[in-house]
């Protein structure tokens, strides 16, 4: 089982431009506003003002997704979590939201519509839950 991320952004909700810029940072691992801006403008159909990239990066920093470090004359932006860690956190949030509004009988009605691969995934998840519970009981 993959470890749960140590850091979690204060808000998992991202707008389209936030998601795009974060994706660029995951690809680059770190970058300046200029590098990010140039990658966005590599698409000839795109228009985006340079200050807009700065604004979005500052929003991502406020939400806990990225941080900015000054190196010599440049500000370098880095993601605080990996793309995989973000997927784990977002999946956890979706599961929590689903379980908040779902009654076991409602969830059970979905079982009939699942294919064999989905049922196998649920069985594997169930086995991992059981193993984790047993591990907690054995000191």
């Amino acid at each position: 089982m993959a470890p749960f991320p140590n850091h979690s952004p204060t808000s998992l909700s991202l707008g389209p431009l936030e998601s795009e810029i974060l994706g660029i940072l995951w690809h680059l691992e770190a970058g300046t506003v200029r590098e990010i801006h140039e990658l966005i403008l590599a698409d000839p159909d795109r228009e985006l003002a340079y200050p807009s990239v700065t604004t979005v990066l500052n929003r991502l920093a406020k939400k806990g997704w990225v941080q900015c470090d000054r190196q010599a004359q440049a500000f370098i932006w880095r993601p605080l979590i990996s793309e995989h860690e973000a997927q784990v956190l977002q999946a956890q949030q979706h599961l929590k939201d689903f379980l908040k509004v779902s009654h076991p009988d409602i969830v059970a009605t979905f079982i009939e519509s699942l294919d064999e691969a989905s049922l196998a995934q649920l069985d594997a998840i169930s086995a991992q839950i059981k193993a984790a519970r047993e591990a907690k009981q054995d000191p």
Side-chain angles (χ1 to χ4, degrees):
M1 193 175 335
F4 199 76
N6 291 329
H7 172 75
S8 180
T10 57
S11 172
L12 294 179
S13 175
L14 295 174
L17 188 54
E18 289 173 326
S19 294
E20 180 180 8
I21 289 175
L22 188 57
I24 290 170
L25 278 177
W26 281 326
H27 176 75
L28 295 175
E29 295 182 10
T32 64
V33 173
R34 179 177 308 273
E35 291 169 331
I36 295 165
H37 187 247
E38 287 174 358
L39 283 170
I40 291 171
L41 293 184
D43 178 350
D45 296 328
R46 291 292 299 274
E47 290 184 28
L48 183 67
Y50 184 91
S52 297
V53 176
T54 303
T55 299
V56 171
L57 285 166
N58 283 321
R59 251 189 286 156
L60 287 169
K62 190 174 183 177
K63 290 180 177 183
W65 285 94
V66 301
Q67 71 179 16
C68 183
D69 299 315
R70 185 177 184 132
Q71 292 184 355
Q73 298 294 323
F75 291 96
I76 307 296
W77 293 86
R78 288 183 176 72
L80 291 172
I81 62 173
S82 70
E83 187 171 12
H84 175 74
E85 289 171 324
Q87 290 170 343
V88 168
L89 291 170
Q90 289 170 334
Q92 180 208 32
Q93 188 60 50
H94 289 308
L95 179 61
K96 282 182 175 181
D97 292 345
F98 176 72
L99 293 174
K100 261 193 255 179
V101 297
S102 297
H103 185 277
D105 291 339
I106 294 171
V107 174
T109 61
F110 292 121
I111 299 299
E112 295 173 15
S113 66
L114 296 176
D115 60 17
E116 285 301 317
S118 297
L119 291 171
Q121 282 181 307
L122 287 174
D123 288 340
I125 292 168
S126 178
Q128 288 182 341
I129 292 170
K130 183 178 179 181
R133 283 182 177 158
E134 290 172 357
K136 280 184 180 180
Q137 291 175 352
D138 296 335

